[in-house]
Amino acid sequence: MIQSFELVRNHLKPASNGDYHSYEVSYIYEDEAKLINELNKQYNVKLDEIVKFDDEVACDCITDDDGGTFLFISFLLPELNSGLHLDNLVTSTVILIFDNKLIFVTKRKVKSVINLLSNFPLLNSKNFVIGVTLKMLDSTFGLMIDELRSLKKKIDKLETSITKTGPVKPVFSDLLLLQKYMLTLSSTYQSNKKVINFLKNNFHTIGSLSEENEKAISRLYDKIDTMNRTITSYSAYLDNLESMINNMASYQLNTVMKTLTEISIILTVPAIIFGLWGINVHVPFEKSGNGLWFVVGISIMLSVIVWLWLRRKKYF
C-alpha cells in the first residue's frame, strides 16, 4: 500500500491520493512488488533485496540518470512485540532522501511511521527532508529505548519467578526469549550507528545542516551510546541470571540424587535381612507363629540404626 503526505502550511498532512510522484513524502509498505520494481529501475537501487532481509543496513550516495544526487539509507527498527520468531523482531526501513522529496519503504506496515508523518510540524519547509529524516530516526531510537525499558520489567519479573519457583521450565523459556531480544537489539543498535555516521557526512549533498539539525544528530549519538551501555549491562545481568539458574538446577539435581541414594542405602538393610531369612536353611523364628513380625522388627531397628549413623556422620 501507499500512504502519501503533502506540505500544508509547514506541516505534513496525509494526502488523499496515494501517487508517490505527486507528493513530498510517501510511505510504501506491504506487498507492493510492482511499485518497488519501478523504483529499482528508476533510481538504480535494489529495494526488494534490502527490504526482504532484516539483518543489515545500507548507506549510499547515488547519482540518478538526470544527474541529480540522492541519499539511499536503510536502518533496522526493532519490534519485539510482533512475534517470537527472529524474522518478525526487526523491520528494515528504507529511505530515499532527495532534495525535495522523501520515500519510505518497509516490508510490513509500521504504525509509528504513519503516526509520525500524519501531523509533522516543520521548522524549515525549504529543507524539510533533513528535518523529517532526523525526526524519524529520533522517533525510532525513542521506540528502541521504550523497548529496553519494557525488557527491564521482564527481567525483574524473571528474577521474581526464579526466587519463587526456582529453575522450572517457564523460567528457562522466559530466559531464552529475553536473550533472543538482547541479540536482536544489540545487533540493531550497532548497525544503526553506521547510518547516523553516513548521514552526518553526506547530508551536505542535499542541503546544509542547520544548528537545530546538528543538535538533533548529537542527540542521536547520545541515545545510541545510552542504548549500547544499557544493552551491555542487561546482557551481562542475564548471563549472571543464567549461571544462577544453572547452578540452582544442578543443586536441585544433586539434592534429588542424594535423597534417592539415602533411600536406597536404608532399604538395602531390610533387603539383606529378608534375603537371609529366605534362604533354604534353618533360620531363627522359623517355627514361631510371630516369626514374620520379629524379622520385620529387626529390619526396622537396623534401618533406623543405619539412618542415625549416617546422620551422625553428616552424610544426610
Short mmCIF file of all heavy atoms in Angstrom, two decimals, residues 7 12 24-25 71 73 95-104 116-117 120-139 196 198-217 219-220:
data_model
loop_
_atom_site.label_atom_id
_atom_site.label_comp_id
_atom_site.label_asym_id
_atom_site.label_seq_id
_atom_site.Cartn_x
_atom_site.Cartn_y
_atom_site.Cartn_z
N LEU A 7 2.90 18.84 1.97
CA LEU A 7 3.20 20.01 2.79
C LEU A 7 2.04 21.00 2.77
O LEU A 7 1.61 21.45 1.71
CB LEU A 7 4.46 20.71 2.26
CG LEU A 7 5.81 20.09 2.64
CD1 LEU A 7 6.93 20.82 1.93
CD2 LEU A 7 6.02 20.15 4.13
N LEU A 12 3.26 18.46 7.56
CA LEU A 12 2.98 17.33 6.69
C LEU A 12 1.60 16.80 7.03
O LEU A 12 1.30 16.51 8.19
CB LEU A 12 4.02 16.21 6.87
CG LEU A 12 5.38 16.41 6.20
CD1 LEU A 12 6.30 15.25 6.56
CD2 LEU A 12 5.23 16.50 4.69
N GLU A 24 5.33 15.23 -1.44
CA GLU A 24 6.66 15.41 -0.89
C GLU A 24 7.15 14.18 -0.12
O GLU A 24 8.35 13.88 -0.11
CB GLU A 24 6.69 16.63 0.04
CG GLU A 24 6.59 17.97 -0.67
CD GLU A 24 5.18 18.33 -1.07
OE1 GLU A 24 4.25 17.59 -0.67
OE2 GLU A 24 5.00 19.35 -1.76
N VAL A 25 6.25 13.48 0.56
CA VAL A 25 6.63 12.30 1.34
C VAL A 25 5.67 11.16 1.02
O VAL A 25 4.45 11.37 0.98
CB VAL A 25 6.60 12.59 2.86
CG1 VAL A 25 6.95 11.33 3.65
CG2 VAL A 25 7.55 13.72 3.21
N LEU A 71 20.28 10.43 -1.37
CA LEU A 71 20.84 9.51 -0.38
C LEU A 71 19.93 8.30 -0.23
O LEU A 71 18.71 8.42 -0.20
CB LEU A 71 20.99 10.21 0.97
CG LEU A 71 21.85 11.47 1.00
CD1 LEU A 71 21.93 12.03 2.42
CD2 LEU A 71 23.24 11.19 0.46
N ILE A 73 19.39 5.12 2.27
CA ILE A 73 19.76 4.51 3.56
C ILE A 73 18.70 3.48 3.97
O ILE A 73 17.55 3.56 3.55
CB ILE A 73 19.92 5.55 4.68
CG1 ILE A 73 18.57 6.20 5.00
CG2 ILE A 73 20.96 6.60 4.32
CD1 ILE A 73 18.57 7.05 6.26
N ILE A 95 14.91 4.50 3.28
CA ILE A 95 14.54 5.89 2.98
C ILE A 95 15.34 6.37 1.77
O ILE A 95 16.57 6.27 1.76
CB ILE A 95 14.80 6.83 4.16
CG1 ILE A 95 14.18 6.30 5.46
CG2 ILE A 95 14.24 8.22 3.86
CD1 ILE A 95 14.43 7.18 6.65
N LEU A 96 14.63 6.89 0.78
CA LEU A 96 15.26 7.58 -0.34
C LEU A 96 15.12 9.07 -0.07
O LEU A 96 14.01 9.60 0.01
CB LEU A 96 14.58 7.21 -1.66
CG LEU A 96 14.56 5.72 -2.02
CD1 LEU A 96 13.83 5.50 -3.35
CD2 LEU A 96 15.95 5.15 -2.09
N ILE A 97 16.25 9.76 0.08
CA ILE A 97 16.27 11.15 0.50
C ILE A 97 16.71 12.03 -0.68
O ILE A 97 17.88 12.01 -1.07
CB ILE A 97 17.21 11.36 1.69
CG1 ILE A 97 16.91 10.35 2.81
CG2 ILE A 97 17.11 12.78 2.24
CD1 ILE A 97 17.93 10.34 3.92
N PHE A 98 15.77 12.77 -1.24
CA PHE A 98 16.06 13.70 -2.33
C PHE A 98 16.09 15.12 -1.76
O PHE A 98 15.81 15.34 -0.57
CB PHE A 98 15.00 13.59 -3.42
CG PHE A 98 14.87 12.19 -3.98
CD1 PHE A 98 14.03 11.27 -3.36
CD2 PHE A 98 15.58 11.80 -5.09
CE1 PHE A 98 13.91 9.98 -3.86
CE2 PHE A 98 15.46 10.52 -5.60
CZ PHE A 98 14.62 9.61 -4.99
N ASP A 99 16.40 16.10 -2.60
CA ASP A 99 16.47 17.47 -2.10
C ASP A 99 15.10 18.06 -1.80
O ASP A 99 14.97 19.03 -1.04
CB ASP A 99 17.22 18.37 -3.08
CG ASP A 99 16.56 18.37 -4.46
OD1 ASP A 99 15.63 17.57 -4.67
OD2 ASP A 99 16.99 19.18 -5.31
N ASN A 100 14.03 17.44 -2.33
CA ASN A 100 12.68 17.96 -2.07
C ASN A 100 11.64 16.86 -1.93
O ASN A 100 10.45 17.10 -2.08
CB ASN A 100 12.26 18.92 -3.19
CG ASN A 100 12.27 18.23 -4.56
OD1 ASN A 100 12.67 17.07 -4.67
ND2 ASN A 100 11.82 18.94 -5.58
N LYS A 101 12.10 15.65 -1.64
CA LYS A 101 11.16 14.54 -1.57
C LYS A 101 11.75 13.41 -0.73
O LYS A 101 12.97 13.18 -0.74
CB LYS A 101 10.82 14.03 -2.98
CG LYS A 101 9.80 12.89 -2.99
CD LYS A 101 9.35 12.58 -4.41
CE LYS A 101 10.49 12.10 -5.27
NZ LYS A 101 10.01 11.67 -6.61
N LEU A 102 10.87 12.69 -0.02
CA LEU A 102 11.27 11.52 0.76
C LEU A 102 10.38 10.35 0.40
O LEU A 102 9.17 10.50 0.22
CB LEU A 102 11.13 11.80 2.26
CG LEU A 102 12.18 12.68 2.94
CD1 LEU A 102 11.72 13.03 4.36
CD2 LEU A 102 13.52 12.00 2.98
N ILE A 103 10.99 9.15 0.31
CA ILE A 103 10.22 7.92 0.07
C ILE A 103 10.65 6.90 1.12
O ILE A 103 11.83 6.54 1.22
CB ILE A 103 10.47 7.36 -1.33
CG1 ILE A 103 10.04 8.37 -2.40
CG2 ILE A 103 9.71 6.04 -1.53
CD1 ILE A 103 10.32 7.92 -3.83
N PHE A 104 9.69 6.44 1.94
CA PHE A 104 9.92 5.40 2.93
C PHE A 104 9.40 4.07 2.40
O PHE A 104 8.32 4.02 1.81
CB PHE A 104 9.20 5.73 4.25
CG PHE A 104 9.73 6.93 4.96
CD1 PHE A 104 9.27 8.20 4.65
CD2 PHE A 104 10.68 6.80 5.95
CE1 PHE A 104 9.74 9.32 5.30
CE2 PHE A 104 11.17 7.92 6.62
CZ PHE A 104 10.70 9.17 6.29
N LEU A 116 3.92 9.38 12.95
CA LEU A 116 4.84 10.50 12.96
C LEU A 116 4.59 11.46 11.81
O LEU A 116 4.60 12.68 11.98
CB LEU A 116 6.28 9.98 12.91
CG LEU A 116 7.37 11.05 12.84
CD1 LEU A 116 7.42 11.84 14.14
CD2 LEU A 116 8.73 10.43 12.56
N LEU A 117 4.34 10.91 10.62
CA LEU A 117 4.19 11.74 9.42
C LEU A 117 2.81 12.38 9.29
O LEU A 117 2.66 13.33 8.52
CB LEU A 117 4.49 10.91 8.17
CG LEU A 117 5.90 10.33 8.06
CD1 LEU A 117 6.01 9.45 6.82
CD2 LEU A 117 6.94 11.43 8.01
N PHE A 120 3.12 16.31 11.07
CA PHE A 120 4.50 16.61 11.43
C PHE A 120 4.79 18.09 11.21
O PHE A 120 4.73 18.59 10.08
CB PHE A 120 5.45 15.76 10.56
CG PHE A 120 6.90 15.92 10.92
CD1 PHE A 120 7.42 15.26 12.01
CD2 PHE A 120 7.73 16.75 10.18
CE1 PHE A 120 8.75 15.40 12.34
CE2 PHE A 120 9.06 16.90 10.51
CZ PHE A 120 9.57 16.22 11.60
N PRO A 121 5.12 18.85 12.27
CA PRO A 121 5.43 20.28 12.11
C PRO A 121 6.84 20.47 11.58
O PRO A 121 7.77 19.76 11.97
CB PRO A 121 5.29 20.83 13.53
CG PRO A 121 5.59 19.66 14.41
CD PRO A 121 5.12 18.44 13.69
N LEU A 122 7.02 21.43 10.68
CA LEU A 122 8.31 21.70 10.07
C LEU A 122 8.82 23.07 10.50
O LEU A 122 8.12 24.07 10.38
CB LEU A 122 8.21 21.66 8.54
CG LEU A 122 7.76 20.31 7.94
CD1 LEU A 122 7.50 20.46 6.46
CD2 LEU A 122 8.80 19.25 8.20
N LEU A 123 10.04 23.09 11.01
CA LEU A 123 10.65 24.36 11.37
C LEU A 123 11.13 25.12 10.14
O LEU A 123 11.11 26.34 10.09
CB LEU A 123 11.83 24.13 12.33
CG LEU A 123 11.48 23.49 13.69
CD1 LEU A 123 12.74 23.26 14.50
CD2 LEU A 123 10.52 24.39 14.46
N ASN A 124 11.55 24.36 9.12
CA ASN A 124 12.06 24.97 7.90
C ASN A 124 11.59 24.13 6.71
O ASN A 124 12.16 23.09 6.41
CB ASN A 124 13.58 25.05 7.93
CG ASN A 124 14.16 25.77 6.72
OD1 ASN A 124 13.41 26.26 5.87
ND2 ASN A 124 15.48 25.82 6.65
N SER A 125 10.54 24.57 6.04
CA SER A 125 9.98 23.80 4.93
C SER A 125 10.89 23.77 3.72
O SER A 125 10.73 22.91 2.85
CB SER A 125 8.60 24.37 4.55
OG SER A 125 8.74 25.73 4.14
N LYS A 126 11.86 24.69 3.63
CA LYS A 126 12.76 24.69 2.49
C LYS A 126 13.74 23.52 2.53
O LYS A 126 14.28 23.13 1.52
CB LYS A 126 13.54 26.01 2.44
CG LYS A 126 12.65 27.23 2.17
CD LYS A 126 13.49 28.49 2.11
CE LYS A 126 12.61 29.70 1.83
NZ LYS A 126 13.39 30.97 1.78
N ASN A 127 14.01 23.02 3.70
CA ASN A 127 14.94 21.90 3.84
C ASN A 127 14.31 20.83 4.74
O ASN A 127 14.92 20.34 5.67
CB ASN A 127 16.26 22.39 4.45
CG ASN A 127 17.40 21.41 4.22
OD1 ASN A 127 17.28 20.49 3.43
ND2 ASN A 127 18.49 21.61 4.92
N PHE A 128 13.07 20.51 4.43
CA PHE A 128 12.30 19.63 5.31
C PHE A 128 12.79 18.18 5.29
O PHE A 128 12.58 17.45 6.25
CB PHE A 128 10.82 19.66 4.92
CG PHE A 128 10.48 18.91 3.67
CD1 PHE A 128 10.06 17.59 3.73
CD2 PHE A 128 10.60 19.51 2.42
CE1 PHE A 128 9.74 16.89 2.59
CE2 PHE A 128 10.29 18.82 1.28
CZ PHE A 128 9.86 17.50 1.34
N VAL A 129 13.46 17.74 4.20
CA VAL A 129 13.86 16.34 4.10
C VAL A 129 14.83 15.96 5.21
O VAL A 129 14.77 14.87 5.78
CB VAL A 129 14.47 16.04 2.72
CG1 VAL A 129 13.42 16.14 1.63
CG2 VAL A 129 15.64 16.97 2.41
N ILE A 130 15.74 16.86 5.54
CA ILE A 130 16.71 16.58 6.61
C ILE A 130 15.99 16.53 7.96
O ILE A 130 16.21 15.63 8.77
CB ILE A 130 17.82 17.64 6.63
CG1 ILE A 130 18.64 17.57 5.33
CG2 ILE A 130 18.73 17.46 7.84
CD1 ILE A 130 19.74 18.61 5.24
N GLY A 131 15.09 17.50 8.18
CA GLY A 131 14.35 17.52 9.44
C GLY A 131 13.49 16.29 9.64
O GLY A 131 13.46 15.71 10.73
N VAL A 132 12.79 15.89 8.58
CA VAL A 132 11.92 14.71 8.69
C VAL A 132 12.75 13.45 8.91
O VAL A 132 12.41 12.59 9.73
CB VAL A 132 11.04 14.57 7.44
CG1 VAL A 132 10.26 13.27 7.48
CG2 VAL A 132 10.09 15.75 7.33
N THR A 133 13.85 13.32 8.18
CA THR A 133 14.71 12.14 8.34
C THR A 133 15.25 12.04 9.75
O THR A 133 15.21 10.96 10.37
CB THR A 133 15.88 12.19 7.34
OG1 THR A 133 15.37 12.27 6.00
CG2 THR A 133 16.74 10.94 7.47
N LEU A 134 15.76 13.13 10.27
CA LEU A 134 16.31 13.11 11.63
C LEU A 134 15.23 12.85 12.67
O LEU A 134 15.45 12.14 13.65
CB LEU A 134 17.02 14.44 11.93
CG LEU A 134 18.31 14.70 11.14
CD1 LEU A 134 18.87 16.08 11.48
CD2 LEU A 134 19.35 13.62 11.43
N LYS A 135 14.04 13.43 12.45
CA LYS A 135 12.94 13.20 13.39
C LYS A 135 12.49 11.74 13.34
O LYS A 135 12.15 11.16 14.38
CB LYS A 135 11.77 14.12 13.04
CG LYS A 135 10.61 14.04 14.02
CD LYS A 135 11.03 14.51 15.41
CE LYS A 135 9.85 14.48 16.37
NZ LYS A 135 10.23 14.92 17.74
N MET A 136 12.50 11.14 12.15
CA MET A 136 12.14 9.73 12.03
C MET A 136 13.13 8.86 12.79
O MET A 136 12.74 7.94 13.52
CB MET A 136 12.10 9.33 10.56
CG MET A 136 11.85 7.85 10.31
SD MET A 136 10.26 7.31 10.98
CE MET A 136 9.15 8.21 9.89
N LEU A 137 14.42 9.15 12.63
CA LEU A 137 15.44 8.39 13.35
C LEU A 137 15.33 8.62 14.86
O LEU A 137 15.47 7.68 15.65
CB LEU A 137 16.82 8.78 12.85
CG LEU A 137 17.16 8.32 11.43
CD1 LEU A 137 18.46 8.96 10.96
CD2 LEU A 137 17.27 6.81 11.35
N ASP A 138 15.07 9.85 15.25
CA ASP A 138 14.91 10.16 16.68
C ASP A 138 13.72 9.41 17.26
O ASP A 138 13.78 8.86 18.37
CB ASP A 138 14.74 11.66 16.86
CG ASP A 138 14.67 12.05 18.33
OD1 ASP A 138 15.72 12.01 19.00
OD2 ASP A 138 13.56 12.37 18.81
N SER A 139 12.61 9.38 16.50
CA SER A 139 11.43 8.64 16.95
C SER A 139 11.71 7.15 17.03
O SER A 139 11.28 6.46 17.96
CB SER A 139 10.27 8.91 15.99
OG SER A 139 9.13 8.13 16.33
N ILE A 196 23.80 6.86 11.09
CA ILE A 196 23.97 8.23 11.59
C ILE A 196 25.31 8.80 11.10
O ILE A 196 25.38 9.97 10.69
CB ILE A 196 23.90 8.27 13.12
CG1 ILE A 196 22.59 7.62 13.62
CG2 ILE A 196 23.97 9.71 13.62
CD1 ILE A 196 21.36 8.24 13.05
N PHE A 198 26.88 8.04 8.41
CA PHE A 198 26.77 8.31 6.97
C PHE A 198 26.00 9.60 6.73
O PHE A 198 26.42 10.45 5.92
CB PHE A 198 26.07 7.14 6.28
CG PHE A 198 25.75 7.40 4.83
CD1 PHE A 198 26.71 7.25 3.85
CD2 PHE A 198 24.47 7.81 4.46
CE1 PHE A 198 26.41 7.50 2.51
CE2 PHE A 198 24.17 8.06 3.13
CZ PHE A 198 25.14 7.90 2.16
N LEU A 199 24.87 9.78 7.40
CA LEU A 199 24.07 10.99 7.19
C LEU A 199 24.83 12.24 7.60
O LEU A 199 24.77 13.27 6.91
CB LEU A 199 22.77 10.87 7.98
CG LEU A 199 21.75 9.85 7.47
CD1 LEU A 199 20.55 9.79 8.41
CD2 LEU A 199 21.29 10.18 6.06
N LYS A 200 25.54 12.19 8.70
CA LYS A 200 26.29 13.35 9.16
C LYS A 200 27.31 13.80 8.11
O LYS A 200 27.55 15.00 7.91
CB LYS A 200 26.99 13.03 10.48
CG LYS A 200 27.76 14.21 11.06
CD LYS A 200 28.40 13.84 12.38
CE LYS A 200 29.18 15.03 12.94
NZ LYS A 200 29.86 14.69 14.22
N ASN A 201 27.91 12.81 7.42
CA ASN A 201 28.96 13.12 6.45
C ASN A 201 28.42 13.44 5.06
O ASN A 201 29.16 13.99 4.23
CB ASN A 201 29.94 11.95 6.35
CG ASN A 201 30.70 11.71 7.64
OD1 ASN A 201 30.98 12.65 8.38
ND2 ASN A 201 31.02 10.46 7.92
N ASN A 202 27.14 13.11 4.78
CA ASN A 202 26.64 13.24 3.41
C ASN A 202 25.39 14.10 3.28
O ASN A 202 24.90 14.28 2.16
CB ASN A 202 26.34 11.85 2.83
CG ASN A 202 27.59 11.04 2.60
OD1 ASN A 202 28.24 11.14 1.56
ND2 ASN A 202 27.93 10.20 3.57
N PHE A 203 24.87 14.62 4.38
CA PHE A 203 23.70 15.49 4.28
C PHE A 203 23.98 16.73 3.42
O PHE A 203 23.05 17.30 2.82
CB PHE A 203 23.24 15.93 5.67
CG PHE A 203 22.07 15.14 6.20
CD1 PHE A 203 21.96 14.87 7.55
CD2 PHE A 203 21.06 14.69 5.35
CE1 PHE A 203 20.87 14.15 8.04
CE2 PHE A 203 19.98 13.97 5.83
CZ PHE A 203 19.89 13.70 7.18
N HIS A 204 25.23 17.15 3.36
CA HIS A 204 25.56 18.37 2.61
C HIS A 204 25.26 18.22 1.12
O HIS A 204 25.14 19.23 0.41
CB HIS A 204 27.03 18.72 2.81
CG HIS A 204 27.98 17.70 2.26
ND1 HIS A 204 28.40 17.70 0.95
CD2 HIS A 204 28.56 16.64 2.86
CE1 HIS A 204 29.22 16.68 0.76
NE2 HIS A 204 29.34 16.02 1.90
N THR A 205 25.13 16.98 0.62
CA THR A 205 24.87 16.78 -0.81
C THR A 205 23.44 17.18 -1.19
O THR A 205 23.15 17.40 -2.37
CB THR A 205 25.11 15.32 -1.21
OG1 THR A 205 24.24 14.48 -0.45
CG2 THR A 205 26.56 14.92 -0.95
N ILE A 206 22.54 17.24 -0.18
CA ILE A 206 21.15 17.61 -0.49
C ILE A 206 20.72 18.88 0.23
O ILE A 206 19.60 19.35 0.05
CB ILE A 206 20.19 16.46 -0.12
CG1 ILE A 206 20.31 16.10 1.35
CG2 ILE A 206 20.40 15.25 -1.01
CD1 ILE A 206 19.29 15.09 1.81
N GLY A 207 21.57 19.42 1.05
CA GLY A 207 21.23 20.65 1.75
C GLY A 207 22.15 20.88 2.93
O GLY A 207 22.85 19.97 3.38
N SER A 208 22.16 22.08 3.44
CA SER A 208 23.03 22.42 4.56
C SER A 208 22.35 22.07 5.88
O SER A 208 21.12 22.11 5.99
CB SER A 208 23.37 23.91 4.52
OG SER A 208 22.19 24.69 4.59
N LEU A 209 23.17 21.75 6.86
CA LEU A 209 22.66 21.42 8.18
C LEU A 209 22.50 22.69 9.01
O LEU A 209 23.43 23.49 9.12
CB LEU A 209 23.61 20.46 8.89
CG LEU A 209 23.62 19.00 8.41
CD1 LEU A 209 24.70 18.23 9.15
CD2 LEU A 209 22.27 18.34 8.62
N SER A 210 21.33 22.86 9.59
CA SER A 210 21.11 23.98 10.49
C SER A 210 21.65 23.65 11.88
O SER A 210 22.03 22.50 12.16
CB SER A 210 19.62 24.30 10.58
OG SER A 210 18.92 23.20 11.17
N GLU A 211 21.68 24.62 12.74
CA GLU A 211 22.14 24.39 14.11
C GLU A 211 21.24 23.39 14.81
O GLU A 211 21.72 22.53 15.57
CB GLU A 211 22.15 25.71 14.88
CG GLU A 211 22.67 25.58 16.30
CD GLU A 211 22.69 26.91 17.04
OE1 GLU A 211 22.42 27.95 16.39
OE2 GLU A 211 22.97 26.91 18.26
N GLU A 212 19.93 23.46 14.52
CA GLU A 212 19.00 22.51 15.13
C GLU A 212 19.26 21.09 14.62
O GLU A 212 19.16 20.12 15.37
CB GLU A 212 17.56 22.92 14.80
CG GLU A 212 16.51 22.06 15.46
CD GLU A 212 16.55 22.12 16.97
OE1 GLU A 212 16.95 23.17 17.52
OE2 GLU A 212 16.19 21.11 17.62
N ASN A 213 19.60 20.96 13.33
CA ASN A 213 19.93 19.64 12.78
C ASN A 213 21.19 19.07 13.44
O ASN A 213 21.25 17.86 13.73
CB ASN A 213 20.15 19.74 11.28
CG ASN A 213 18.90 20.11 10.52
OD1 ASN A 213 18.95 20.76 9.48
ND2 ASN A 213 17.73 19.69 11.03
N GLU A 214 22.17 19.91 13.65
CA GLU A 214 23.41 19.47 14.31
C GLU A 214 23.10 18.96 15.72
O GLU A 214 23.64 17.93 16.16
CB GLU A 214 24.42 20.63 14.38
CG GLU A 214 24.95 21.10 13.04
CD GLU A 214 26.01 20.17 12.48
OE1 GLU A 214 26.33 19.15 13.14
OE2 GLU A 214 26.53 20.47 11.38
N LYS A 215 22.23 19.68 16.44
CA LYS A 215 21.86 19.24 17.78
C LYS A 215 21.10 17.91 17.73
O LYS A 215 21.28 17.05 18.60
CB LYS A 215 21.01 20.31 18.46
CG LYS A 215 21.76 21.59 18.80
CD LYS A 215 20.85 22.59 19.48
CE LYS A 215 21.59 23.87 19.84
NZ LYS A 215 20.71 24.88 20.49
N ALA A 216 20.25 17.75 16.71
CA ALA A 216 19.48 16.51 16.57
C ALA A 216 20.42 15.32 16.34
O ALA A 216 20.22 14.23 16.91
CB ALA A 216 18.50 16.63 15.41
N ILE A 217 21.43 15.51 15.50
CA ILE A 217 22.40 14.44 15.27
C ILE A 217 23.16 14.11 16.54
O ILE A 217 23.41 12.94 16.87
CB ILE A 217 23.37 14.84 14.14
CG1 ILE A 217 22.63 14.91 12.80
CG2 ILE A 217 24.54 13.86 14.04
CD1 ILE A 217 23.47 15.38 11.64
N ARG A 219 22.07 14.45 19.56
CA ARG A 219 21.15 13.71 20.45
C ARG A 219 21.03 12.25 20.02
O ARG A 219 20.91 11.36 20.87
CB ARG A 219 19.77 14.37 20.45
CG ARG A 219 19.71 15.69 21.21
CD ARG A 219 18.27 16.11 21.47
NE ARG A 219 17.55 16.36 20.23
CZ ARG A 219 17.46 17.53 19.63
NH1 ARG A 219 18.06 18.60 20.16
NH2 ARG A 219 16.77 17.68 18.51
N LEU A 220 21.07 12.01 18.72
CA LEU A 220 21.01 10.63 18.23
C LEU A 220 22.22 9.83 18.70
O LEU A 220 22.09 8.67 19.12
CB LEU A 220 20.93 10.62 16.71
CG LEU A 220 19.61 11.10 16.09
CD1 LEU A 220 19.71 11.13 14.57
CD2 LEU A 220 18.45 10.22 16.52
#
